[in-house]
Amino acid sequence: MANYRLPDPKNFEHTIDGKNTHLITLTNRRGMQIALTDYGARLVSALVPDKQGDLTDVVLGFDSIHGYLNAQEKYHGTSVGRFCNRIANGRFTLDGQQYTLEQNNGENCLHGGSGGFHNRVWDRQVSFNKKVDFYYVSSDGEEGFPGELKTNISYELTNDNEIIIQFRAKTDKTTIINLTNHAYFNLNGEGNGDILNHILHIPAVEFLPINAKQIPIGDVLPVQSTPFDFTTPKKIVEGIGHEDEQLKYANGFDHTFVNTQPLSQPAASAFSEQSGIKLDVFTSEPGIHLYTGNFLTNDQGKGGQHYLRHGGFCLETQHYPDSPNHADFPSVVLHPGEVFESQTIYTFSLMK
């Protein structure tokens, strides 16, 4: 196993669009450590004890701000907005008015456009070395979205080896919003092979099928008797290896599962027999999106290892993709005077 450590904060001192970037580190009483940066309000590292007692970095990322700026994969660990996932044809209609967004993923708008939240330097406030609040004001019309949106995303590291992520936002004009964290996890340790041997449990009994452009077709289908059935824990490779049209469309898993679990119960869990590390994901969101790193493109990560295809997985807690164009999906509309609130918790533990 590699000798994992947090990146050097000096390597994150930079200026982007007139704003300074930093690395912030948090440590709990049990020795777990995480690193965050205000560039994209993103999670850079999470050092978790493995079954040998060694700290293992389970989050893919880079040793410096330049690594993130030059990466082919732009979303490592980032806060994604204003609208995570895809919007078909880069268009949606709200209150009778059509809005046009950047088409940065074929014909789709992906993750809020190339100038989305992942590409912004956020203001920050650190509280008692255990919590970081990131703040960003997105101007009316930014990336094509209506309304000035004030967003606060906080990360708290608890002594129970939890990373609690709180999302809050307000708008001065009716708009749409869909926020998530886009951490890539490898519970074997970042850069340590692929994640196909991870045992995955998703209790969801339904998922959203997609078309060839990776847009939900509007149906909700049962996972039973499909590769998407993780209601009984199984290795990712046992699902991804199937000959299935849905998997071909996405080059692997890149699909949203319908989450009906309360915040007190995991919406998804993953486990590495190799390290003994287990991740439980709790969320208040109606969807959990499984992405198996199908398009990781050989970026060189923190340990000097290259992130190959399936080198990490994401469990993105969110509303459904393309929701503004599907009236029967849970609403993503935010009105003035309302507060958007969402919570996601990553909990790490050991299994024998």
Side-chain angles (χ1 to χ4, degrees), residues 121-268:
V121 180
W122 295 55
D123 296 320
R124 78 200 186 286
Q125 180 178 344
V126 183
S127 305
F128 308 111
N129 205 34
K130 68 173 214 173
K131 182 181 177 185
V132 183
D133 281 279
F134 293 108
Y135 303 93
Y136 180 67
V137 179
S138 176
S139 59
D140 183 17
E142 185 174 284
E143 292 297 296
F145 294 94
E148 180 185 82
L149 189 75
K150 295 180 177 178
T151 305
N152 165 216
I153 300 176
S154 69
Y155 293 81
E156 180 180 358
L157 176 62
T158 76
N159 291 318
D160 294 320
N161 285 359
E162 303 167 316
I163 303 172
I164 301 175
I165 309 175
Q166 301 265 14
F167 302 87
R168 294 183 87 246
K170 294 181 178 180
T171 184
D172 65 356
K173 187 186 292 186
T174 301
T175 191
I176 60 170
I177 186 170
N178 196 11
L179 304 178
T180 195
N181 175 265
H182 203 285
Y184 283 89
F185 294 103
N186 186 331
L187 303 180
N188 300 330
E190 62 87 24
N192 191 3
D194 62 44
I195 47 79
L196 299 179
N197 63 349
H198 284 48
I199 298 169
L200 186 63
H201 177 213
I202 302 177
V205 296
E206 294 177 311
F207 79 104
L208 274 57
I210 57 174
N211 62 22
K213 296 180 180 178
Q214 292 188 256
I215 295 293
I217 60 177
D219 294 337
V220 177
L221 295 182
V223 300
Q224 188 175 6
S225 302
T226 77
F228 296 84
D229 190 350
F230 289 94
T231 55
T232 300
K234 68 182 182 185
K235 290 186 177 181
I236 292 174
V237 70
E238 293 176 39
I240 212 168
H242 280 259
E243 284 292 317
D244 184 277
E245 186 177 56
Q246 285 292 308
L247 295 173
K248 289 178 182 175
Y249 285 156
N251 211 24
F253 289 107
D254 196 351
H255 294 77
T256 299
F257 291 76
V258 176
N259 176 41
T260 58
Q261 300 299 309
L263 185 59
S264 59
Q265 298 294 321

Side-chain angles (χ1 to χ4, degrees), residues 15 69 153:
T15 303
L69 291 171
I153 300 176

Side-chain angles (χ1 to χ4, degrees), residues 20-76:
N20 294 332
T21 59
H22 310 80
L23 187 77
I24 305 109
T25 61
L26 305 179
T27 304
N28 70 9
R29 291 178 189 160
R30 296 170 67 181
M32 183 175 163
Q33 305 170 33
I34 67 172
L36 305 150
T37 180
D38 37 20
Y39 176 60
R42 70 180 76 215
L43 181 63
V44 172
S45 295
L47 268 62
V48 182
D50 67 10
K51 63 185 178 183
Q52 308 298 333
D54 298 323
L55 286 176
T56 299
D57 193 347
V58 296
V59 171
L60 278 61
F62 301 99
D63 282 322
S64 71
I65 199 72
H66 297 288
Y68 287 97
L69 291 171
N70 297 319
Q72 294 183 64
E73 169 52 71
K74 301 297 183 186
Y75 304 108
H76 279 291

